[in-house]
Amino acid sequence: MLIGELARRTGVSTRLLRYYEEQGLLRSERDSNGYRRYAPEAVERVRRVRELLATGLNTDAIRTVLPCTHSAGPGVRDCAHFTDIVDGQLSKLDDDIAELQRRRAALTDYAALSDLPTPAPAPNPTPGPGPSSATPSSIAS
């Protein structure tokens, strides 16, 4: 299929499909006229790339883990480097969450010193580590 058809079937722009190809996430063959031609499996491949991007992985990490994914459907094969990348990403997310909680607490403290209504505590939508053990520095000092 041509790039326009792949874009239509996946909902991804042709520009982004070219970028995926430049990043080694997608492959095409070239017709004699230079047009890109993609195999039918490219639809699933683009969907998998989109799923992995939604997890926060960057294109370098995705290029590394794509060989570990099943050709269709969710899941991955037993690949040590996939586990390493996922563990690293989970650790980074935990750090990011802790930093965001610290910022929220500091902003809440700041709002408490003003005439603004104090914001309600944030819900914890996902199980995981509790609030950071680091306490925000006192703004009133």
Side-chain angles (χ1 to χ4, degrees):
M1 86 188 78
L2 297 176
I3 195 168
E5 175 68 8
L6 182 59
R8 186 187 66 73
R9 291 179 62 187
T10 60
V12 174
S13 71
T14 57
R15 183 176 180 186
L16 197 50
L17 291 172
R18 284 189 213 85
Y19 174 75
Y20 291 168
E21 196 168 337
E22 288 171 11
Q23 296 300 306
L25 306 176
L26 188 61
R27 288 190 172 84
S28 69
E29 300 292 326
R30 294 290 184 141
D31 285 343
S32 59
N33 59 7
Y35 289 0
R36 288 174 168 87
R37 187 161 298 277
Y38 296 92
E41 299 80 32
V43 173
E44 184 60 34
R45 177 90 168 191
V46 170
R47 287 186 181 137
R48 182 57 49 95
V49 167
R50 301 295 295 167
E51 289 170 357
L52 291 168
L53 283 167
T55 70
L57 291 176
N58 62 35
T59 56
D60 289 335
I62 292 171
R63 185 175 44 254
T64 302
V65 302
L66 269 174
C68 298
T69 62
H70 295 295
S71 58
V76 295
R77 292 187 267 288
D78 187 17
C79 294
H81 59 276
F82 180 81
T83 303
D84 294 343
I85 288 172
V86 168
D87 288 347
Q89 184 67 13
L90 287 171
S91 178
K92 181 185 178 313
L93 286 172
D94 289 343
D95 292 346
D96 291 349
I97 290 167
E99 174 62 15
L100 288 170
Q101 289 174 332
R102 186 201 60 76
R103 287 184 193 175
R104 188 177 201 293
L107 192 55
T108 300
D109 290 349
Y110 197 85
L113 298 174
S114 70
D115 295 333
L116 299 171
T118 303
N124 190 0
T126 57
S132 171
S133 59
T135 57
S137 57
S138 174
I139 297 172
S141 326

